[in-house]
Amino acid sequence: MAPSIRLSPAARSLFDEPLAIAVQGLGPRQRVTLRTSLRDETGELFQASAHYQAGDDGELDLARCPALPGGSFSGLEPMGLLWALQPQKPFWRLVKRDVQSPFLLQLDVFEGHGERHGRLLAQAQHERAFLRDGVRRIPVREGRIRATLFLPPGEDTFPGIIDIHGLGGGLFEPRASLLANHGFATLALAYYQFEDLPQEPKELHLEYFEEAVNYMLQHPQVKGPGVGLLGFSKGGEVSLAMAAFLKNIKAVASLNAPVAATCIPFSYKDKIIPTVTLYEHKAKATNSKFLDYSDVIDDPFQAPGNQSRIPLEKAEARFLFMVGQDDRVVKSEYYATEVCKLLQAQGKESFQILSYPGTGHCIDPPFFPLYHTGSHPVFHKRAVLGGELRAYSRAQVHAWSQIQAFFKKYL
């Protein structure tokens, strides 16, 4: 019997879902190399490979067989061939622009463990999708709002979440689309550099974000009386500012966010939160010749930086701070710890910190490749963003389940 690859689900799975991989029809104890490949929407190639040995019966099940040393990873890692994908082009990040089309994953099985791949024994293709059947993607152009709403299947009402991305502008849909598969009405909200929104905003007006909150609460399929916010980096900072100044925000999950205004000041009605000072000269060179910018932001808990600190003690929301202990862009663990001390001093217990070792600035949904070194979001120079492959893959899975549990509980 010729070797073949068995996948479950067979042809298509959601990007954040586990994929069971097995090879059958090999010789007893046969040594093989498995390789996964995926091209992004620009055609850039991501690959991972691992060395295995089949069992006495010629079966190789990645849930039971550890990878041997010499590939992208070793040990018992059923999803290693997905989380270890790395770009062939240095410093490239896997981004999904069009969530209506899946990524195509190619799996190849080669003979032996050599430097050069041996004979090709089997191959298979599998779609990694962002939308479950029945999830609706609805472009939103209401008033000033520029966004995309993702609604789960059916006519029910669903907990409502606004998803806000970090610096870089544009409209970012992958996280919101994946959340909708799990039963949340999720609004991916753009706030600059998209269509007719400002290219280089002088201020971020919280009234714009308030309009998005009101849009969600007036939607017949969004379950009130409040909404949740999910924000990454600058988007987390925006979410914290919304919670401090706006009504009807029940729960905020913040991923590696500053707790002070950075780069762009906030304004609401007649109040302005000025930006904290950045000291570019405090960037440190690392032994990999890339810069570590983790010390460049003035400490918002020391005067004069504290005029820039977001007054979270005014907020009524529940907070989930998710921080990478190896975040080299924002001192996110320090910020979360200090801001929670302030909340505690005010008699508030409405917060939780989840701190992830070996995890850098980017905390994406499960199975997105680690983006360890890339362009700094402010200084646009090559920078270390932080993180270590295996620890990060664990953090993604845990954080994603915790985000969903948090919003289910408080929305």
Side-chain angles (χ1 to χ4, degrees):
M1 154 177 164
S4 63
I5 298 169
R6 189 176 71 237
L7 301 173
S8 177
R12 185 183 176 100
S13 55
L14 291 171
F15 195 90
D16 62 344
E17 276 182 339
L19 176 65
I21 302 171
V23 185
Q24 53 204 21
L26 297 170
R29 323 253 336 130
Q30 185 172 356
R31 294 157 77 84
V32 291
T33 298
L34 270 62
R35 184 182 71 188
T36 43
S37 313
L38 178 155
R39 285 195 185 273
D40 72 5
E41 290 158 325
T42 67
E44 290 299 336
L45 181 65
F46 289 73
Q47 283 191 325
S49 65
H51 298 325
Y52 286 98
Q53 184 167 18
D56 293 331
D57 56 358
E59 285 271 327
L60 171 60
D61 182 345
L62 271 54
R64 293 202 301 273
C65 291
L68 304 172
S72 305
F73 59 92
S74 60
L76 188 64
E77 296 290 350
M79 288 295 287
L81 285 167
L82 294 174
W83 59 247
L85 285 165
Q86 283 293 286
Q88 301 303 289
K89 181 179 183 174
F91 322 118
W92 196 253
R93 186 173 189 188
L94 184 65
V95 175
K96 191 72 178 107
R97 296 281 171 217
D98 174 15
V99 297
Q100 296 177 99
S101 68
F103 278 131
L104 189 63
L105 185 72
Q106 166 113 0
L107 287 97
D108 299 302
V109 183
F110 298 100
E111 203 168 46
H113 289 171
E115 280 292 297
R116 300 173 72 88
H117 289 311
R119 189 166 57 97
L120 178 68
L121 300 174
Q123 57 186 174
Q125 289 190 326
H126 185 84
E127 291 184 345
R128 296 288 277 169
F130 286 78
L131 296 175
R132 191 187 293 289
D133 287 348
V135 171
R136 287 155 291 163
R137 179 187 175 276
I138 302 158
V140 177
R141 304 292 183 270
E142 298 250 343
R144 290 178 299 176
I145 305 170
R146 303 291 173 264
T148 305
L149 178 64
F150 293 93
L151 286 174
E155 297 308 311
D156 294 347
T157 60
F158 304 101
I161 298 171
I162 300 175
D163 179 29
I164 306 175
H165 201 52
L167 283 177
L171 182 58
F172 181 81
E173 297 183 359
R175 196 170 45 214
S177 64
L178 289 171
L179 267 180
N181 300 317
H182 297 281
F184 298 98
T186 314
L187 186 76
L189 181 65
Y191 55 104
Y192 76 109
Q193 280 183 18
F194 181 73
E195 293 184 0
D196 55 353
L197 294 173
Q199 284 299 303
E200 302 290 336
K202 298 282 177 278
E203 288 173 0
L204 290 180
H205 300 285
L206 291 176
E207 287 85 351
Y208 172 76
F209 299 94
E210 192 168 39
E211 213 173 303
V213 173
N214 293 337
Y215 167 81
M216 286 296 274
L217 289 175
Q218 286 157 15
H219 195 285
Q221 282 196 265
V222 173
K223 183 170 145 184
V227 297
L229 306 177
L230 173 59
F232 162 66
S233 193
K234 179 73 182 181
E237 177 197 310
V238 170
S239 301
L240 297 175
M242 291 168 71
F245 290 99
L246 308 181
K247 293 184 177 63
N248 300 319
I249 289 158
K250 290 278 177 274
V252 179
S254 145
L255 300 164
N256 282 339
V259 294
T262 58
C263 306
I264 312 167
F266 291 108
S267 72
Y268 184 61
K269 296 180 176 166
D270 51 0
K271 178 147 183 67
I272 299 255
I273 302 185
T275 55
V276 72
T277 309
L278 303 183
Y279 299 102
E280 192 175 355
H281 68 272
K282 289 190 176 177
K284 301 186 290 276
T286 62
N287 53 12
S288 60
K289 307 284 190 293
F290 300 105
L291 291 169
D292 176 340
Y293 283 97
S294 50
D295 284 329
V296 302
I297 301 175
D298 198 14
D299 188 335
F301 297 97
Q302 310 290 330
N306 56 18
Q307 297 143 343
S308 304
R309 188 178 67 74
I310 295 162
L312 277 188
E313 54 279 5
K314 293 182 176 177
E316 296 297 317
R318 309 284 315 190
F319 292 103
L320 176 61
F321 295 96
M322 310 182 103
V323 298
Q325 290 178 14
D326 192 35
D327 185 348
R328 306 288 188 90
V329 176
V330 172
K331 282 186 163 170
S332 46
E333 188 176 37
Y334 168 71
Y335 292 160
T337 307
E338 290 301 307
V339 89
C340 289
K341 280 183 196 167
L342 288 177
L343 291 173
Q344 215 158 10
Q346 303 266 338
K348 297 197 168 188
E349 295 291 340
S350 53
F351 56 83
Q352 182 188 1
I353 301 175
L354 290 175
S355 184
Y356 293 104
T359 299
H361 187 59
C362 301
I363 301 181
D364 290 313
F367 315 123
F368 268 91
L370 171 65
Y371 183 54
H372 172 270
T373 311
S375 177
H376 189 274
V378 179
F379 300 111
H380 306 297
K381 292 178 180 163
R382 291 265 186 261
V384 178
L385 308 177
E388 178 272 306
L389 200 55
R390 190 180 307 244
Y392 172 63
S393 73
R394 304 268 192 281
Q396 282 177 316
V397 172
H398 186 266
W400 192 234
S401 68
Q402 294 300 304
I403 287 167
Q404 292 168 50
F406 172 72
F407 286 130
K408 285 199 169 100
K409 183 171 180 181
Y410 294 113
L411 298 180

